[in-house]
Amino acid sequence: MLVRPDTQDVRLIGLYTGRVVALAGLVMVIPAVVGWLRGEPHDALGFVIGASLAVIIGQAAELALRTRAQLQGSHALAVVALSWLGVAFVGAVPLFLSGHYATFLDAYFDAMSGFATAGLAVINDLDHTSDAVNLWRHLMQFMGGQGLVLVALTIFGGAGLTGLYFGEGREERILPNVRNSARFIWRVALAWGVLGTGAFWITFWSLGLPPLKAGLQAVMMFMAAFDTGGFSPTSASLGFYQSAVAETIAAVLMLAGTLSFALHRVLLYRRSLKPLWRNTEVRFLAATLGILTALTLVGLGRFEVYPDTVEVVRRGGFQLLSAHTGTGFNTVSSPQLLTDWGTLAPAALVVAMALGGMAGSTTGGVKSLRVAVASKALVGDIRRTLSPAGAQVRTAYQATTGRTLLTADLARGAVVIIVLYLLLYGAGALVGLFYGYTLQQALFESTSAAAAVGLSVGVVGPDLETPLKVVYIAQMWIGRLEFLAVFVLLGYAWSLLRGR
Amino acid sequence: MVAAVVAAGAVASAAGLDQLLATTQREPDQAVVERPGDRLTLTEGDCPTRAPGDEPVAVTSAVLTQCPRLLADRPVTYRGEAVRGIIDQGRHAWLQVNDGPYALDRGPLPASRTTAGTNAGVAVRIPSARAGSIDTVGDARHHGAIIEVTGRWQVSNAGDAGGAAIRAERVDVIQPGHRLDPPRSPLRTWAAVAAAGLALTLTGAAWWRRR
C-alpha cells in the first residue's frame, strides 16, 4: 500500500526542511564576514539578506510546524529532496543580488550546480566577481560534497536526522552510529583540507600571487577539488595557474575525493594499502580509469592535437581524471574539446563522466560499485548457464566492509540505478537535440549535468536556452540524490494532489 | 475567481510558449583573423583550414580557443585586459588576458551593471621583466590594464609547464588599470537590516517557545 500523507507528514517534512535551509543561512555568515573584511560591502549585504531569509524560513517552520511526531524513512527521503531545492533557493539569493546573473533562474542554476558539486556555471563576468561571492560558490560545493544533511547532523544532532543520512546517496554507515560516521567524514575532510589548502597556498604564493589572495584561492581550489565540484575563482579554471605542481595537487585531491569515506577509514585504521587493491570497486575504478585514459591519449595522438607526447599525456590524462572523478576542472578551453580534440577523446570523457567514482564518496554518476556488481552478476549468470544442471554457482565481491555475497536483489538494485542514469543522460540529450545542438554537444552537456561533473564543450553559459537550464537543474538535483529521494518526494506530492 | 486564474494561466502559457520553443539566437562569431585583404570568418563548431601568411595578424580569443592549431607558431597581435593575477615563473610570467565585452567594450560588470555573457580570453606568456609594467589586474574592485601583445601563438608550452598561450615578445600597455567605484544601494542596507531584524525576532520567539 502506498503512503497516504496527512497533516502530520506535511508538518514533519516542512519542519526538517526548514532546519536544513536555516543551516545554509548560518554558513552564509562566512562569506558575509569575508565580504566586509575585503571591502565588498555591497555583496556582504547580499549575504546578510540571504542568510536572514534562510533563518526566517527555518524559524517560521519551527514556530508553525513543530510536532512531536517522529521522522520515518519515507519522510526523511522527502525532506532530503525538498531540502536540496530549498537550500539552492536561499543559496541563489546572494548570487542574484551580486548582479552577476541576468535572472534568478540563472542564480538558481549555479546554486544547484554548486550544491550538487556539478560545476557547470552560467555566471556573467566571473573574472570580476568579489571574493565573497566566489567563496560562497565554493562553500556550496563543499557543503554539497560533504552532504547537506551531514552538515545538519553534525550541528543539530537529534535522532530524527539520522534517517536523513541515507537519502543523500550514502549507502553505508562508516561506523555503527550515524552521527559518528558524520564526524568521521568531517575529520577526513579536515585532514585533507589542511594538507590540500596548505599545498595549494605554498604553490600559488610561490607563483607570485600575494599571500592573502593565494590563501583565499587555495581554500577555494581545495573545496572544488576534494569535493569534486569543479568551480574555480577564474574563468580559465585550473589552467590559470599554468603549473604542473598545481595540477598534481588537484589530481591527488580529486582522487581522494573519489574514494569512499569508508575506504578512507579502512586505510587509516589498518595502515596498509592492501584493502585498496583487494577492493572490487577500486579495481573497477582503476580499470575504467586506465582504459579510458588510454583511449583519450590514443584519440589525441590520432588527431595530432599536441606536438609532443608529454603534453598529450598531461592534458589528456588530467581531463580524463577530471571527468572520471566528477570534478570538472579544465586545463584546456571548453570549445577546444569540441573543435580540436577529434571524436574518440571526447567520447572517452563522456563515458568517464557517466561512470563517476566510488559509492559513498563526493562524486556523482553511476558509481563504480554498481558497474562492478552488474558486471559480476552478468559473469555469474554466464557461469551458471555453462555449469552442469544442479551446480551451485555463487558470486561474491570484496566490498569495503568485507566479502559480500552477490544476491539477486543487489544485482537488480544496481542494474535499475544504472538504467535510470542512462535514461537521465538520454533525456537531457534529447532536449539538447531539440534545441538544435549536435549529438556530441547534447550528450556531453547532459551527461556532465546529470553526473555532476561540470565539464562543458561551451554550450552551458548565460545564453543557454531557459528550458535547457531547467532541464539541467533537474538533472543535477536528481542525479546527485540518486533518484530514490526525488521519487519519494514526487510520490508525496502526487498523493497530496490527489487528495489522499 | 478560478476561471480568472485559469484564463491568466492560459494566456501566460501561450505567451511563454514562444519562449519555450525558441532557440536562442546566438550571434555568430565575428571575423576573428583580420589583416588588409584577408579576412577569415569562424563559424561555431568549425575551424577554417586556410591560415594566413607569416605577418602578425590581429586575433581575438575566439579563434585561438576554438581553433588552436589554425595559427600554431604564427605571429599574432592580441589586445585585452589582464585579470586576476600575474603568475611568475622566474624568466617568464603568465597572464590571463580577456578580450570580451567586460574587458574592452562595456567594462567590468560591477561597474557597468549589464550582463553580457561569460569571459573570453587566452593565456599570455611574457618576459618577467615586462610584468612590472602591468600596474593593475582586473578583479571585483579593479579594471585591469589593457595591454596589446605581439608574439607567437603556441598550442602547448610544455617546456615552461604551461598550456596553450601566446608567447609575447612585445607588451604594450594601452590603458593603465583603475579602481572601480564600489556599488552602493541604501535600499539594500535597509533591506538587510530589516531582514536580519525579522530573523532575530523569529529566532528569539522560537527559543522562547521551546523554553
Side-chain angles (χ1 to χ4, degrees), chain A residues 18-33 36 43-59 87 89-95 97 136, chain B residues 191-192 194-200 202-203:
Chain A
R19 286 179 179 174
V20 179
V21 168
L23 175 80
L26 295 181
V27 180
M28 272 187 225
V29 172
I30 299 169
V33 170
W36 281 111
D43 284 332
L45 287 172
F47 282 101
V48 172
I49 293 171
S52 301
L53 180 66
V55 172
I56 289 167
I57 291 171
Q59 297 301 352
V87 165
F89 175 79
V90 294
V93 170
L95 295 183
L97 292 176
W136 176 237
Chain B
L198 182 58
L200 287 172
L202 283 175
T203 304

Side-chain angles (χ1 to χ4, degrees), chain A residues 294-313:
Chain A
L295 283 176
T296 305
L297 302 188
V298 167
L300 292 179
R302 162 79 176 78
F303 286 90
E304 298 176 354
V305 177
Y306 296 105
D308 53 80
T309 313
V310 174
E311 201 64 358
V312 169
V313 173

Side-chain angles (χ1 to χ4, degrees), chain A residues 38 40 42 52 59 63 97 99 124-129 207 213 242 303-304 314-315 333 339-340 435 437, chain B residues 20 24 26 65-66 69 81 84 88-89 98 109 117 119 123 139-141 161-163 188 196 206 209:
Chain A
R38 297 285 292 157
E40 301 158 349
H42 193 71
S52 301
Q59 297 301 352
L63 287 168
L97 292 176
N124 290 271
D125 198 9
L126 173 62
D127 287 327
H128 291 105
T129 45
L207 288 172
K213 186 185 264 190
Q242 305 286 349
F303 286 90
E304 298 176 354
R314 182 177 161 194
R315 302 290 159 198
S333 74
T339 60
D340 206 46
Y435 282 99
Y437 295 104
Chain B
L20 186 71
T24 303
R26 291 162 188 246
T65 53
Q66 288 192 40
R69 282 183 287 170
E81 177 199 9
R84 283 299 182 193
D88 188 358
Q89 291 188 335
N98 288 352
L109 196 148
N119 299 112
D139 58 26
R141 294 177 292 281
R188 178 175 296 213
R209 188 171 162 182

Side-chain angles (χ1 to χ4, degrees), chain A residues 43 375 431:
Chain A
D43 284 332
S375 306
V431 181

